[in-house]
Each structure stands twice: as structure tokens, then as C-alpha cells.
Amino acid sequence: MAMSSKNDFVFQVRRCQPELVVPAKPTPYEFKQLSDIDDQEDFRFQVPILFFYPHNPSREGIDPVDVIRKALAKTLVFYYPFAGRLREGPGRKLFVECTGEGVLFIEADADATLEQFGDAIYPPFACLEDVLYNVPNSDGIIDCPLCLFQVTRFKCGGFILAIRLNHTMADAFGIFQFLNAITEIARGAVAPSILPVWQRDLLNARDPPTITYNHYEYDQVVDTKGIVVPLKDMAHRSVIFRPSDISAIRKTLPTHLHYCSSFDLITACLWRTRTIALQPDPNEEMRLLCVVNLRAKSKSLPLGYYGNAIACPAALTTASELCMNSLSYAVELVRKAKNEVTEEYMKSVADLMVIKGRPNLTAVRSLAVSDVRKAMVGEVDFGWGNAIFGGPAMAGAATVPGLTSFCMRFKNNKGEEGIVVPLSLPAPAMERFVLELEDLFKTISTNEAKNSKRKFVSSAL
């Protein structure tokens, strides 16, 4: 039984027994070591992702479960490490034993329609546990299946594809490269247009390792005030930024920042507003961890590399400086942090992992934001057309509860587009956050902003 995060409707999901989908052809038995970026502590969790597909009359009589299951088996011939199992060696170093055991797959049916989700679909999803069943003893990092797929058919002819994937194996770009390969084969290709490249040694530590940057994102701050709250005890909401909202906020910035990216603007806005809502001591340090993809800045990572190639540089300031200064102050900090990332920066992170024993990212008084919009450029189309929603199923799912949020594409059934960002906060702070953001928009004098209603969605999670 599940309840929609926006529509309070109840529906039943009937699941078949989980099965293992193995590669369609024999694959090599070998051991593949993860990189020193891949196997850091904060990537040792499962990433939940959902895709919603409406009914397509041209596909009448074609079963999406059968199509995706067969395409997955064929794709695993190329991405055979996903069919293996992670093992842990000396010093907690991770490697894949390519056993060909396969990935978990669940066939399911729901007695509801996608239309019941409302005019727009985005997180949080109260039905997550129904459309992405946690098979007992399957969600570990070591010695467990590296992927879980569930395809749930709906009465309207649409379906949901839910995926859970071990983050140590791939980042957002790598995950969607894998999924796009499955879609190409589902649509008739004999091989992916971009062949997978392992080469994890490209992001290993140097010999000898040398830390060449100040990595404030890995400062070990002790939580003496119980700031880190379990995810189950948090409130989960999403905020939607339409183009008019972004334009209105941008006009409040100094001229030299008018061309800052939407990500910089939204991230700075949420970081500042969230800090006000958390009510920290004025002199306490606040961190924003900007998830930056190295691929766009690297000349050494080959096309097809699907391992983790991301860094999380930290913008750092005190609570009073962040809250008392204008939004432009936060925007400048975000831009500066993002610009830190180079190939040398990534090598320094890998070296730090080896020297300091894979420390956690700073959890206390931190927010991490990842922009996954570009990772989804390929549009995950299995033959039913593009998904009406595709992306991470929730904020905060990581080794540190509530740390991470995502910028994702938003589009309702009227064709209106924007950026949706799910957030997780302790309930009292979430109430203050909503009020603070509402107040921010009341102070923006443009007509577009005055007419722009903020949309927040609470979850029954």
C-alpha cells in the first residue's frame, strides 16, 4: 500500500518473486579494482532512481517488462561488471569480482493509473517502497547485487521503471550511460553507441600520494548538538523554480553576476535560506558541497568512462556572514568552489583518500547539491518515448542522512518547464524554510516574481 506525495490516493502493488537477470552471453571472469574516487566512504550507498512512462498507443500489446528484461540481459554483456559482486580487500579497498551472477529484477503490477499522480510528477514519492521493493539482504555494498530493477505496470498502460544502483560503481553520468545503453538495445541496436570504458586506474592516487589542495569538504566536524537527524525523522519537500522565478532572482544580483548559471543561483538561494531555517550559532561554519563533474574539464578521461568522476568542493563561511549578506555573496562562494575543480584537484582528492583512510564528507552544517540535468540529456527511451519524470527518487539518501539534494528537470502536463529540487530537513526547520523562501519572493519587486507561486510538496515518508 502506498500514498501519493501529492494526491493522498492508495494503491496496491502486486510483485512477482525477485529474479536474477544474467548477461545474455558468457562474460569474462576477472577482478576489477575500483578507483580511489569510487570507493570513498560517502559513495558506499544505493542510489534510488525512478522513471515514469505514460501509455503509448503505438506500443499496444508490447510488454515493457519483457522488453526491459531482455535488453538488460544483452546490455550486461557489455557492462558485465554490474553483474558481479563487490569485494573488499586490505585497507578496505573495493574491487569487483566479475562473477556473472546478475542483477535483481522484479516484475510488478499496480491497480492505479499514472494520471492519479496529478498534473506533474516529481519527488518526494510516498510510494517509493512499493515501486522499488527492498529485497531482503540485497541492499548492502559488499557481496550483494550491484543493481536492482523493478518494472511496475499501471492500469492506464503506463509503467514505472525503478532502479537502485550501488554508487561506488558509477556517478550520475555513468548511471545514465548504462541506462541509455539498455534503451538503445531495447530499441533494436546490437551494441551501445558508446562502449563502456573501465580504466579506473586513471583516478587512482599517485605514488607517492600528495594532497595539494585544502579539502574543506572532508574536515571532520564533530556533531556535539545532535544536528544530524535520521532520514526517517526528517520532512521531505520539493521546491520548483520556473524560468520566471530564476529570472526574477537573477535581476536582484549585481550586473557581473547576471550571467551566472541557474545551478549557481538556485544552490546559493537554497543554501542561504536553509541556513536561516536551521538557526545555527552565528559564528558556526556552514558548508555547501558543490558536486562537480570532472568530465567537462578533463582531457584524460575517455568517452565511455562510467566510474565516479565527481568532486565535492566546499564553499565555506560562517552562518552570520551567509545570512546577513545579500544573495550575491553566496553566489560568489558557490562559483569559486566550483572553479576549484581541475584534474589536479581530483588527483588530490584521490591522494587524500589513501593518506587519510577514506574520510566521510563533512556532514555537520553541510548541504550538498548535484545538478543531474545534463546527465539525462540522452532521454531514457525504451521505445515508449521519453519519461514524463526521470531522476533521483528522493533527497537525502546517502551515507549522511539529508545531506544531498538534486537539481532536476521539471515539466507538467501543460508543458510548463522548470527545475525541481527535493530537500530534506528536520520538520521544524522545514517549516521555517518554507516561510523564509516565501518571504524572499515577496521582497522581489518584479511582476514575474510577484505572480510566481512557490510550490512545496510534503511527503508521507
Side-chain angles (χ1 to χ4, degrees):
M1 181 180 291
M3 188 173 291
S4 166
S5 59
K6 295 182 284 295
N7 291 297
D8 285 351
F9 74 96
V10 175
F11 63 89
Q12 298 287 335
V13 173
R14 298 174 300 280
R15 291 184 297 270
C16 296
Q17 285 296 315
E19 60 181 296
L20 286 171
V21 173
V22 301
K25 297 179 181 179
T27 55
Y29 175 79
E30 58 188 2
F31 296 89
K32 288 183 171 292
Q33 193 176 78
L34 297 187
S35 78
D36 289 319
I37 298 297
D38 289 321
D39 68 2
Q40 58 185 291
E41 189 65 36
D42 282 282
F43 292 164
R44 299 186 183 209
F45 71 96
Q46 304 276 353
V47 182
I49 306 170
L50 296 184
F51 296 89
F52 288 69
Y53 293 92
H55 173 59
N56 185 334
S58 70
R59 304 288 285 179
E60 198 71 47
I62 301 175
D63 184 5
V65 172
D66 187 53
V67 170
I68 294 173
R69 183 196 285 119
K70 289 178 179 177
L72 174 59
K74 293 177 181 178
T75 306
L76 287 173
V77 174
F78 301 92
Y79 285 86
Y80 62 89
F82 279 125
R85 300 292 183 266
L86 276 186
R87 315 298 188 200
E88 192 172 57
R92 303 186 67 231
K93 185 66 187 172
L94 296 180
F95 60 92
V96 184
E97 183 179 359
C98 299
T99 60
E101 292 174 73
V103 303
L104 279 170
F105 188 92
I106 302 171
E107 174 181 350
D109 291 279
D111 65 350
T113 67
L114 294 185
E115 286 77 11
Q116 289 174 269
F117 281 87
D119 65 352
I121 296 174
Y122 49 87
F125 298 107
C127 63
L128 180 58
E129 293 182 1
D130 292 271
V131 298
L132 184 57
Y133 175 61
N134 182 18
V135 178
N137 304 314
S138 72
D139 59 352
I141 300 302
I142 310 299
D143 304 330
C144 286
L146 295 172
C147 305
L148 184 154
F149 286 69
Q150 180 173 328
V151 183
T152 305
R153 308 180 194 90
F154 281 70
K155 291 194 303 181
C156 58
F159 64 95
I160 293 177
L161 169 64
I163 300 163
R164 193 186 69 198
L165 192 142
N166 190 318
H167 198 335
T168 63
M169 290 291 290
D171 58 15
F173 276 81
I175 292 170
F176 286 105
Q177 179 184 308
F178 174 45
L179 293 176
N180 281 324
I182 300 172
T183 67
E184 289 176 331
I185 290 176
R187 299 197 307 269
V190 296
S193 59
I194 298 176
L195 293 174
V197 174
W198 186 262
Q199 291 187 22
R200 305 297 170 105
D201 59 300
L202 293 173
L203 291 178
N204 273 345
R206 295 168 287 200
D207 186 16
T210 306
I211 301 171
T212 53
Y213 281 79
N214 291 317
H215 293 287
Y216 300 114
E217 63 269 34
Y218 293 104
D219 287 347
Q220 298 305 288
V221 180
V222 178
D223 180 16
T224 58
K225 299 180 180 179
I227 295 172
V228 179
V229 177
L231 196 61
K232 64 181 179 64
D233 296 331
M234 289 189 177
H236 307 275
R237 295 177 182 260
S238 284
V239 56
I240 296 170
F241 290 87
R242 292 181 293 272
S244 59
D245 300 327
I246 296 170
S247 176
I249 300 173
R250 183 174 278 119
K251 289 175 183 177
T252 68
L253 300 178
T255 304
H256 72 283
L257 292 177
H258 280 185
Y259 297 99
C260 70
S261 71
S262 297
F263 173 82
D264 297 346
L265 193 68
I266 290 173
T267 302
C269 178
L270 295 179
W271 182 33
R272 183 174 181 272
T273 307
R274 181 179 181 270
T275 300
I276 294 171
L278 286 171
Q279 299 180 337
D281 292 340
N283 294 324
E284 288 184 325
E285 289 183 331
M286 308 300 296
R287 283 172 176 76
L288 177 72
L289 312 182
C290 303
V291 181
V292 179
N293 175 24
L294 182 65
R295 289 170 179 82
K297 302 185 177 188
S298 172
K299 296 180 181 178
S300 62
L301 288 180
L303 181 67
Y305 185 86
Y306 63 100
N308 287 280
I310 53 175
C312 303
L316 179 66
T317 187
T318 64
S320 62
E321 288 291 322
L322 181 58
C323 298
M324 298 303 293
N325 278 294
S326 67
L327 181 61
S328 62
Y329 174 79
V331 172
E332 294 274 23
L333 290 176
V334 171
R335 287 162 58 87
K336 180 181 177 182
K338 284 173 54 182
N339 289 335
E340 285 274 283
V341 177
T342 60
E343 291 193 78
E344 173 62 27
Y345 189 95
M346 191 68 86
K347 285 290 186 182
S348 181
V349 172
D351 293 347
L352 181 147
M353 291 298 128
V354 171
I355 292 173
K356 296 193 175 182
R358 299 180 184 84
N360 281 305
L361 288 166
T362 309
V364 180
R365 296 183 296 277
S366 295
L367 169 67
V369 183
S370 177
D371 189 350
V372 300
R373 291 173 296 163
K374 291 183 180 178
M376 298 170 60
V377 165
E379 306 293 357
V380 182
D381 176 8
F382 295 93
W384 278 260
N386 295 334
I388 52 179
F389 170 83
M394 63 185 298
T399 55
V400 177
L403 175 66
T404 307
S405 292
F406 303 93
C407 289
M408 297 182 285
R409 296 177 183 177
F410 162 81
K411 188 174 184 179
N412 63 21
N413 59 10
K414 298 177 183 178
E416 298 169 334
E417 297 184 349
I419 299 171
V420 59
V421 187
L423 293 163
S424 299
L425 280 170
M430 182 64 80
E431 293 177 8
R432 293 190 293 268
F433 175 84
V434 172
L435 294 174
E436 189 65 34
L437 197 59
E438 293 278 5
D439 188 60
L440 170 65
F441 271 80
K442 289 178 183 177
T443 65
I444 298 175
S445 60
T446 64
N447 290 332
E448 293 89 351
K450 287 180 180 178
N451 297 325
S452 180
K453 284 182 70 177
R454 310 283 352 112
K455 289 186 178 180
F456 295 93
V457 182
S458 62
S459 169
L461 290 176

